[in-house]
């Protein structure tokens, strides 16, 4: 079977993921997904893993510094020289991360961008540096979501912030997936979408369980003065 028809077979075998936040369960298990992407050529399997490494939280979490992640992103972009759509996708994801990192740094009290080349990536670094005090760094026209992200960070709305960022990343994948249906790029974008859907499903389930445990505990145990004064723990932040 030729690569073209093999990829058509692979793409048509992948169930529709639906819109983000619309399903409680992922329609394809991780095991099944891994089995199906083995239909990719060895080189495309390698490139898929490279893209996942730089875009998925589990991939970048193993690096100790921002500079390490930036070096990885540049290396992956170079590796994707024959796939400009995926190059643009990686750049967009890194620029989104940079904007979020800037919002968090400012919220944590950083008075200016500092050496942004050490932690920032992409075309908006200079804009962030010169417009540090602007709520959206002067980028609201290019990143319509950034003003809302700033508001949510300032308000401590961590779950809402997670939802906003995942929705933006999902939209980016939709944008880069336009014009790709049965090729390598389409498969990569499907896998990246699957990772987000699976993560939100798991995160939502864990959060719901914790809330239920908290409610049950409150019902069974009368609150004490200490309990009343104790701050609620900050929800785990999981950012793309």
């Amino acid at each position: 079977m030729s690569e073209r028809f093999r990829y058509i077979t692979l793409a048509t075998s992948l169930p529709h993921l639906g819109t983000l936040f619309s399903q409680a369960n992922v329609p394809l298990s991780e095991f099944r997904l891994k089995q199906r992407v083995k239909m990719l050529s060895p080189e495309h399997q390698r490139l898929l893993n490279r893209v996942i490494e730089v875009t998925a939280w589990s991939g970048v979490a193993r690096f100790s510094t921002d500079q390490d992640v930036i070096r990885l992103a540049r290396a992956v972009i170079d590796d994707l020289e024959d796939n400009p759509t995926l190059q643009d996708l990686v750049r967009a994801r890194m620029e989104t991360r940079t904007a979020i990192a800037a919002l968090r740094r400012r919220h944590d009290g950083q008075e200016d961008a500092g050496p942004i080349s050490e932690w920032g990536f992409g075309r908006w670094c200079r804009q962030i540096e010169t417009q540090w005090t602007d709520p959206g760094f002067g980028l609201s026209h290019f990143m319509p979501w950034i003003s809302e992200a700033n508001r949510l960070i300032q308000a401590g709305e961590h779950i809402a912030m997670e939802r906003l960022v995942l929705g933006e990343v999902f939209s980016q994948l939709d944008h880069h997936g336009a014009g790709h249906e049965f090729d390598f790029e389409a498969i990569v974008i499907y896998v990246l979408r699957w990772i987000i859907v699976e993560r939100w499903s798991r995160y939502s389930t864990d959060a719901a369980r914790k809330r239920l445990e908290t409610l049950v505990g409150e019902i069974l145990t009368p609150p004490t003065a200490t309990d009343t004064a104790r701050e609620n723990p900050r929800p785990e932040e999981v950012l793309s």
Side-chain angles (χ1 to χ4, degrees):
M1 182 186 297
S2 70
E3 180 177 285
R4 177 173 178 271
F5 285 104
R6 191 167 70 250
Y7 283 23
I8 290 174
T9 301
L10 170 56
T12 55
S13 74
L14 299 172
H16 182 57
L17 292 174
T19 58
L20 187 59
F21 314 125
S22 66
Q23 300 190 49
N25 299 307
V26 184
L28 182 68
S29 70
E30 181 178 3
F31 174 79
R32 294 294 184 190
L33 180 61
K34 287 180 177 180
Q35 289 295 311
R36 294 183 187 183
V37 297
K38 287 180 179 179
M39 294 179 69
L40 294 172
S41 69
E43 173 62 6
H44 279 169
Q45 289 184 47
R46 184 186 72 82
L47 290 176
L48 170 62
N49 289 331
R50 293 282 278 165
V51 173
I52 293 173
E53 183 182 26
V54 76
T55 58
W57 173 254
S58 59
V60 299
R62 63 188 180 87
F63 293 98
S64 58
T65 69
D66 294 320
Q67 288 176 304
D68 289 335
V69 178
I70 291 170
R71 278 192 289 269
L72 171 64
R74 288 173 177 158
V76 172
I77 289 170
D78 289 343
D79 219 4
L80 292 166
E81 59 180 349
D82 294 329
N83 305 97
T85 294
L86 298 182
Q87 286 182 320
D88 289 344
L89 188 156
V90 172
R91 290 190 188 100
R93 182 69 66 87
M94 290 297 295
E95 288 175 346
T96 298
R97 281 183 178 153
T98 295
I100 294 169
L103 290 173
R104 294 195 181 284
R105 284 169 178 263
R106 188 175 62 190
H107 176 65
D108 290 341
Q110 191 166 311
E111 295 182 355
D112 55 50
I116 195 170
S117 61
E118 295 181 2
W119 59 267
F121 178 98
R123 55 191 160 158
W124 306 121
C125 287
R126 179 62 178 164
Q127 177 81 4
I128 291 171
E129 186 176 31
T130 59
Q131 300 291 326
W132 185 255
T133 59
D134 183 87
F137 306 112
L139 294 173
S140 297
H141 179 72
F142 305 99
M143 297 179 174
W145 55 271
I146 197 169
S147 296
E148 177 65 5
N150 178 64
R151 186 190 70 79
L152 293 173
I153 286 177
Q154 296 297 325
E157 297 285 348
H158 308 297
I159 294 177
M161 177 63 181
E162 168 78 356
R163 186 183 179 101
L164 176 69
V165 172
L166 290 182
E168 168 59 21
V169 172
F170 218 68
S171 295
Q172 290 176 6
L173 292 174
D174 287 342
H175 170 74
H176 289 100
H180 296 280
E181 291 183 321
F182 305 112
D183 54 11
F184 172 57
E185 288 82 357
I187 304 304
V188 172
I189 289 169
Y190 180 94
V191 172
L192 297 182
R193 285 165 55 93
W194 181 93
I195 289 171
I196 294 173
V197 170
E198 191 276 337
R199 186 169 118 193
W200 179 258
S201 174
R202 178 162 37 85
Y203 175 77
S204 299
T205 301
D206 291 344
R209 183 172 61 252
K210 290 176 182 178
R211 287 195 297 271
L212 178 60
E213 290 172 350
T214 300
L215 288 172
V216 170
E218 290 175 351
I219 292 172
L220 298 179
T221 307
T224 64
T226 302
D227 292 331
T228 303
R230 184 183 299 124
E231 292 184 359
N232 291 326
R234 176 174 174 170
E236 180 185 3
E237 293 179 47
V238 190
L239 293 179
S240 303

